[in-house]
Amino acid sequence: MEQVPDFWQNIKLVDIIEFLGTFAFAISGIRLASAKQFDWFGAIVVGLVTAIGGGTLRDLLLDVTPFWLLSSVYIWCTVIALLFVVTFRKSLVRLNNTFFWFDSIGLGLFVVVGSEKAMTLGYPWWVVIIMGTITGVVGGIIRDILINEIPIIFTQELYAVACILGAGLFCILHYLGVDMIIVQVASAVFVFVIRIIATRYQLKLPVLKGED
Amino acid sequence: MEQVPDFWQNIKLVDIIEFLGTFAFAISGIRLASAKQFDWFGAIVVGLVTAIGGGTLRDLLLDVTPFWLLSSVYIWCTVIALLFVVTFRKSLVRLNNTFFWFDSIGLGLFVVVGSEKAMTLGYPWWVVIIMGTITGVVGGIIRDILINEIPIIFTQELYAVACILGAGLFCILHYLGVDMIIVQVASAVFVFVIRIIATRYQLKLPVLKGED
Amino acid sequence: MEQVPDFWQNIKLVDIIEFLGTFAFAISGIRLASAKQFDWFGAIVVGLVTAIGGGTLRDLLLDVTPFWLLSSVYIWCTVIALLFVVTFRKSLVRLNNTFFWFDSIGLGLFVVVGSEKAMTLGYPWWVVIIMGTITGVVGGIIRDILINEIPIIFTQELYAVACILGAGLFCILHYLGVDMIIVQVASAVFVFVIRIIATRYQLKLPVLKGED
């Protein structure tokens, strides 16, 4: 009888974090689509793809059922994100900071979910890191392709690097035999902290200089 | 003995509709590729992707064999479309109306095929709607990415909405226990009619206004 | 006892060719990314996608495990390619001819690997040709999408045509009952030779003329 509330408590925490992350990713897609004069459908597609694109490519590569076919929550989350953007259009800029936090929290969670999925399937550490990173960054890449821009991820402050390091920490802690719940939380927090620090101090990877 | 002609009659009708739809989709890709000075190969790729891209993503997501690996008719249809464009280059503009009809008929069929495939696999109604819509619109999205334009679907007259509503009708009629052949025809006709009306009266979804 | 050295000799030869091909493809992606001011991560992603994109789409369509999940050599090859570009940045232009040879050799190998994979799975000849061609050209297409350019393959000297003809020769020789090792070498060399000749004499497919 004690299991039930405990179960619900766990579910709820992860659910809320995942919802906030999906919401923040969808918002970022919808806002960029609106800047390009997309209609409502276009905005929903771009929002949805931003939120689920990374996990979808990961699941296709790992040959498992795409996660969003198992629950309609990601679709509804995107629809709510659209209504949110439409309703609070004029106040969104002031919420930039809030979205950034959601986005960073979501990124940490996405990386952990992706890493764990690859590890559970028995893949080696470098596949785990790649799948964690794909889950975090590919949605934004497809978003930028759809709005016909060069993916911002390729020039942004330590975004992908945060994913790679977080998934790397996930691997290291796991192989050290650390309890899985600690591995998950530590890796997600690590991604989150790197993103916060990188954005505050504008830390970027060096640009690859072209040939002279 | 009576089964055989009946069988062939059914096959032929759906085949002809599917061929016309594939042909119209391929033509749209080839014409846009030619406007961008693509060579013959580029034109065939863009035409093929326009015609089969939606169904391919659907099949990858549903983890079934991509439909066009099971029959070469889609490849030949695209090659014929290329020869058609090359031969009747100067007359194509006058055929715009004809292509539009083929395209709309094909769209209705594509949506029904996609919806039915997801439903047969036991997916819930919202997955059926998504797969019907993906089958209808993703080919055009990839086409526009390949020619480096923002996907026109995101600003066009009720194109995706027609797919969503058609797939929705498919679900409703099916759950009402209507005979499958009627479900199919009604849904395809519904998509077709919405497209015709939306194009004639230039009905569009509202543009998502950007932030001030 | 004689088998062992023979086995190693075969492995090494194919390995070296595949490594050179992957390296050349990765270099082409990294150089284009650097011209667009991508950071190191962006350059690695574009290099990696150029090298493995075609084989990945092929494996997803054929529903087999993506080849690069089975060995980390493709990742390391791309990382080495990045370090190579960073180190020899100023000398790369002089190496253009060398890269072109690697790229052409790699292309021949990629087409053969793709064709053979489809044939082994029992697909008909036209699927074999498509999969050989996809393996050769799709990496470059995704590379160009990521850097927001129209895929050069659609206007380049007989690049895709070389793949199609090479995969076609693969099918013909196989159905004639020729020994598989000869089929492989002949097809790869055929692709290579067509590329060399097409580039030297600037042979291109005709551009598809737009409507007047």
Side-chain angles (χ1 to χ4, degrees):
Chain A
M1 287 297 283
E2 276 175 22
Q3 291 298 86
V4 178
D6 192 51
F7 169 79
W8 279 105
Q9 206 173 6
N10 282 336
I11 285 291
K12 269 174 187 162
L13 185 63
V14 172
D15 271 3
I16 290 170
I17 294 177
E18 188 174 29
F19 191 90
L20 288 179
T22 304
F23 190 74
F25 272 55
I27 292 272
S28 93
I30 292 167
R31 291 175 77 182
L32 286 170
S34 86
K36 292 267 180 172
Q37 309 287 315
F38 281 26
D39 65 24
W40 285 43
F41 170 78
I44 282 195
V45 168
V46 177
L48 191 59
V49 160
T50 310
I52 70 173
T56 303
L57 179 58
R58 175 202 66 214
D59 290 346
L60 286 177
L61 291 170
L62 296 177
D63 201 18
V64 297
T65 304
F67 69 101
W68 54 272
L69 290 183
L70 305 174
S71 158
S72 60
V73 68
Y74 307 98
I75 312 293
W76 297 124
C77 186
T78 305
V79 172
I80 293 171
L82 178 73
L83 297 177
F84 188 88
V85 170
V86 170
T87 311
F88 299 106
R89 188 163 59 84
K90 299 190 177 186
S91 328
L92 286 182
V93 175
R94 273 185 285 133
L95 291 172
N96 270 347
N97 211 31
T98 311
F99 289 133
F100 170 71
W101 281 72
F102 286 0
D103 187 279
S104 301
I105 295 171
L107 187 67
L109 184 82
F110 283 18
V111 169
V112 168
V113 169
S115 303
E116 197 177 355
K117 213 158 182 177
M119 187 171 277
T120 306
L121 291 167
Y123 280 103
W125 65 271
W126 55 273
V127 173
V128 171
I129 292 179
I130 290 175
M131 291 303 161
T133 306
I134 284 179
T135 311
V137 308
V138 167
I141 292 177
I142 307 180
R143 173 198 65 204
D144 295 343
I145 290 174
L146 285 177
I147 61 170
N148 204 16
E149 299 281 350
I150 286 185
I152 193 174
I153 184 86
F154 296 145
T155 55
Q156 205 174 13
E157 300 94 349
L158 299 193
Y159 195 94
V161 171
C163 298
I164 294 171
L165 294 179
L169 183 66
F170 185 94
C171 291
I172 292 171
L173 294 180
H174 177 75
Y175 286 115
L176 290 176
V178 176
D179 194 62
M180 183 45 85
I181 188 74
I182 297 176
V183 174
Q184 292 170 335
V185 172
S187 308
V189 169
F190 193 49
V191 173
F192 176 74
V193 169
I194 296 175
R195 267 301 285 156
I196 301 293
I197 293 176
T199 306
R200 173 148 305 178
Y201 298 101
Q202 303 231 335
L203 304 180
K204 295 191 181 199
L205 277 184
V207 166
L208 198 68
K209 287 202 191 83
E211 293 133 36
D212 300 330
Chain B
M1 287 298 283
E2 274 174 25
Q3 290 298 87
V4 178
D6 191 51
F7 169 79
W8 279 104
Q9 205 173 8
N10 281 334
I11 286 290
K12 271 174 187 161
L13 185 63
V14 172
D15 271 1
I16 290 170
I17 293 177
E18 189 174 27
F19 191 89
L20 288 180
T22 304
F23 189 75
F25 272 55
I27 292 272
S28 93
I30 292 167
R31 291 174 77 183
L32 286 170
S34 86
K36 292 267 180 174
Q37 308 288 314
F38 281 26
D39 65 25
W40 286 42
F41 170 77
I44 283 195
V45 169
V46 177
L48 191 59
V49 161
T50 309
I52 70 173
T56 304
L57 179 58
R58 175 201 67 214
D59 290 345
L60 287 178
L61 291 171
L62 296 178
D63 200 19
V64 297
T65 303
F67 68 101
W68 53 272
L69 290 183
L70 305 175
S71 159
S72 61
V73 68
Y74 307 98
I75 312 293
W76 297 124
C77 185
T78 306
V79 171
I80 293 171
L82 178 74
L83 298 177
F84 188 89
V85 170
V86 170
T87 311
F88 299 105
R89 188 162 60 84
K90 299 191 177 186
S91 329
L92 286 181
V93 176
R94 273 184 284 132
L95 290 172
N96 269 347
N97 210 30
T98 311
F99 288 135
F100 170 72
W101 281 73
F102 287 178
D103 187 280
S104 301
I105 295 171
L107 187 67
L109 183 82
F110 283 17
V111 169
V112 167
V113 168
S115 303
E116 196 177 356
K117 212 157 183 178
M119 187 171 277
T120 306
L121 290 167
Y123 279 102
W125 64 271
W126 56 273
V127 173
V128 171
I129 291 179
I130 290 174
M131 291 303 160
T133 306
I134 284 178
T135 310
V137 307
V138 166
I141 292 177
I142 307 180
R143 174 197 66 205
D144 294 343
I145 290 175
L146 285 176
I147 60 170
N148 204 17
E149 299 281 350
I150 287 186
I152 194 174
I153 184 87
F154 295 146
T155 55
Q156 205 175 12
E157 300 94 349
L158 300 193
Y159 195 94
V161 170
C163 299
I164 295 172
L165 294 179
L169 182 66
F170 185 94
C171 291
I172 291 171
L173 293 181
H174 176 75
Y175 286 117
L176 290 176
V178 177
D179 194 63
M180 183 46 84
I181 188 74
I182 297 175
V183 174
Q184 293 171 333
V185 173
S187 308
V189 169
F190 193 50
V191 172
F192 176 73
V193 168
I194 296 175
R195 268 301 285 156
I196 300 294
I197 293 176
T199 305
R200 172 148 305 178
Y201 298 101
Q202 304 230 335
L203 303 180
K204 294 191 180 200
L205 276 185
V207 166
L208 198 68
K209 288 201 189 84
E211 291 133 38
D212 300 331
Chain C
M1 287 298 282
E2 276 175 22
Q3 290 298 87
V4 178
D6 191 51
F7 169 80
W8 279 105
Q9 205 172 9
N10 281 335
I11 285 291
K12 270 175 187 161
L13 185 64
V14 171
D15 271 2
I16 291 170
I17 293 177
E18 188 173 27
F19 191 89
L20 289 179
T22 304
F23 189 75
F25 272 54
I27 293 272
S28 92
I30 291 167
R31 292 175 76 183
L32 286 170
S34 87
K36 292 267 181 173
Q37 308 288 314
F38 281 25
D39 66 23
W40 285 43
F41 170 78
I44 283 194
V45 169
V46 177
L48 191 58
V49 161
T50 309
I52 70 174
T56 304
L57 179 58
R58 175 200 66 213
D59 290 346
L60 286 178
L61 291 171
L62 297 178
D63 201 20
V64 298
T65 304
F67 68 101
W68 53 272
L69 290 183
L70 305 175
S71 159
S72 61
V73 68
Y74 307 98
I75 312 292
W76 297 124
C77 185
T78 305
V79 171
I80 293 171
L82 178 74
L83 298 177
F84 188 88
V85 170
V86 170
T87 311
F88 299 106
R89 187 163 60 83
K90 298 189 178 189
S91 328
L92 286 182
V93 175
R94 271 184 286 133
L95 290 171
N96 269 347
N97 210 31
T98 311
F99 288 133
F100 170 72
W101 282 71
F102 287 179
D103 187 279
S104 301
I105 295 170
L107 187 68
L109 184 81
F110 283 16
V111 169
V112 167
V113 168
S115 302
E116 195 176 356
K117 213 158 182 176
M119 188 171 276
T120 306
L121 290 167
Y123 280 101
W125 65 271
W126 55 273
V127 173
V128 171
I129 291 179
I130 290 175
M131 292 303 161
T133 307
I134 283 178
T135 310
V137 307
V138 167
I141 293 177
I142 306 180
R143 175 197 66 205
D144 295 343
I145 291 174
L146 285 177
I147 61 170
N148 204 15
E149 299 282 350
I150 287 186
I152 194 174
I153 183 88
F154 295 146
T155 55
Q156 206 174 12
E157 299 94 350
L158 298 194
Y159 195 94
V161 171
C163 298
I164 294 172
L165 294 178
L169 182 66
F170 185 95
C171 291
I172 291 170
L173 294 180
H174 177 75
Y175 286 115
L176 291 176
V178 176
D179 194 61
M180 183 47 83
I181 189 75
I182 297 176
V183 174
Q184 293 170 333
V185 173
S187 308
V189 169
F190 192 49
V191 173
F192 176 74
V193 169
I194 295 175
R195 268 302 284 156
I196 300 294
I197 293 176
T199 306
R200 171 147 306 178
Y201 297 101
Q202 303 231 336
L203 304 180
K204 296 191 180 201
L205 277 185
V207 167
L208 197 68
K209 288 202 191 83
E211 293 133 36
D212 300 330

